[in-house]
Amino acid sequence: MAQIVLVTGASSGIGRSIAMLLHQHNFKVYGTSRQPEKYADLPYAMLALDVKKTDTMDAALSEILKREGRIDVLINNAGVGITGPLEETPIIESKKAFDTNFFGPMALINKVLPTMRAQRSGCIINITSIAGYMGLPFRGVYSATKGALALVTEAYRIELAPFNIKVCSIAPGDFSTNIAAGRFHAPVLKESDYAKTYGKTLTLIDSHVDHAPSPEPMAQKVLAIINTKDPKPHYAVGSWLQRFSIVLKKLLPQKRYEKMLRNHYKV
């Protein structure tokens, strides 16, 4: 019997790559988008879901359960980027980022858990970010949202272990996606003391995405995790240097690591 998989943000980028690969491996995939009618040509079903609106979660889950009677895998992929000096980033925009990247995934997890507990089985994969392992300059809010999701993943794992529900996170590095198009950018203000360093960092961030590889490795990792009996709490997928940056943070003295980041971003 095919496993039933729900992938949020499956219309493009990492989510689309994950949904396509799982579909090709005979999983029954349901993807989500705020405007699913735009993606009728995709080979898997698309449902309307906005991670900031719990009523859309209820409707999507109800439809899946009506059709399938179960949900085996939840992949929390939908997310949003945000950049800017912390001092100049409106708090309301920071809250919006947390609603999408943290509270939205938590709400969806909590809504699928009654079904998974009743099944005594399930797999939940949260897509975080390598940026969530460190407080990156001018991406501090984004780092915070993804770091928070990684930590709450650890708590869910322990709470859900008695119910045979697997929970883990995957932290991607830079991949070719359209995240920049939907990202909130605090404007580079000419009169700001941050104008020079923030402007350079923004150019560097966009360059990394523009020259990044396909997100196919993320899809392959998701497939491997679903087929793993006892997955680890966290995985990282990206270039060798991006993955090694996580190791360096654990090994280097705090100030040495901070200096390395300052040199990289020329701050």
Side-chain angles (χ1 to χ4, degrees):
M1 182 173 65
Q3 292 191 66
I4 311 304
V5 183
L6 174 59
V7 184
T8 64
S11 62
S12 63
I14 289 173
R16 182 170 180 155
S17 182
I18 291 169
M20 288 291 286
L21 184 67
L22 295 183
H23 171 77
Q24 292 163 5
H25 280 77
N26 300 316
F27 290 83
K28 185 67 178 290
V29 177
Y30 287 88
T32 76
S33 168
R34 285 174 294 181
Q35 296 177 299
E37 65 278 0
K38 289 185 176 182
Y39 308 99
D41 58 327
L42 291 173
Y44 46 87
M46 288 289 288
L47 300 174
L49 192 151
D50 183 334
V51 295
K52 299 190 297 297
K53 298 178 179 179
T54 56
D55 59 325
T56 67
M57 297 181 193
D58 292 333
L61 293 174
S62 177
E63 183 63 23
I64 295 173
L65 291 174
K66 183 174 72 174
R67 295 185 193 182
E68 311 294 345
R70 61 185 296 115
I71 298 175
D72 299 297
V73 182
L74 167 63
I75 300 168
N76 269 318
N77 165 74
V80 67
I82 179 170
T83 62
L86 291 170
E87 182 182 351
E88 296 176 358
T89 302
I91 292 296
I92 190 170
E93 296 297 336
S94 298
K95 289 181 177 180
K96 287 179 183 177
F98 266 94
D99 283 342
T100 299
N101 294 353
F102 180 69
F103 292 113
M106 273 194 71
L108 191 52
I109 289 171
N110 293 344
K111 287 181 178 295
V112 302
L113 283 181
T115 297
M116 289 185 172
R117 278 203 319 277
Q119 297 167 178
R120 282 299 189 268
S121 68
C123 178
I124 298 168
I125 300 174
N126 294 323
I127 307 302
T128 57
S129 173
I130 287 178
Y133 282 87
M134 57 208 75
L136 294 178
F138 309 114
R139 278 190 285 180
V141 173
Y142 182 74
S143 289
T145 65
K146 293 299 189 175
L149 185 58
L151 283 178
V152 86
T153 296
E154 297 177 2
Y156 271 120
R157 279 176 63 89
I158 298 169
E159 293 177 10
L160 298 177
F163 308 109
N164 193 36
I165 299 173
K166 303 183 293 186
V167 190
C168 70
S169 75
I170 309 177
D174 292 318
F175 288 101
S176 180
T177 71
N178 65 349
I179 189 171
R183 179 193 294 146
F184 171 80
H185 295 286
V188 181
L189 304 173
K190 291 182 180 179
E191 67 277 12
S192 170
D193 289 336
Y194 302 104
K196 184 177 180 180
T197 51
Y198 174 41
K200 286 183 178 179
T201 299
L202 203 53
T203 299
L204 183 64
I205 293 169
D206 290 341
S207 174
H208 286 168
V209 173
D210 290 342
H211 297 92
S214 158
E216 178 66 20
M218 281 292 294
Q220 294 288 350
K221 179 60 72 175
V222 166
L223 178 61
I225 289 170
I226 293 173
N227 291 325
T228 298
K229 183 177 180 180
D230 185 22
K232 298 185 296 185
H234 304 296
Y235 297 85
V237 179
S239 70
W240 178 86
L241 184 58
Q242 289 168 347
R243 288 181 284 111
F244 189 55
S245 68
I246 300 173
V247 178
L248 279 178
K249 189 175 187 200
K250 296 176 181 177
L251 297 177
L252 291 178
Q254 294 179 42
K255 288 185 178 180
R256 180 75 61 82
Y257 188 80
E258 181 183 69
K259 185 176 181 181
M260 184 186 74
L261 284 181
R262 290 184 63 182
N263 288 338
H264 177 74
Y265 287 99
K266 297 179 173 57
V267 177

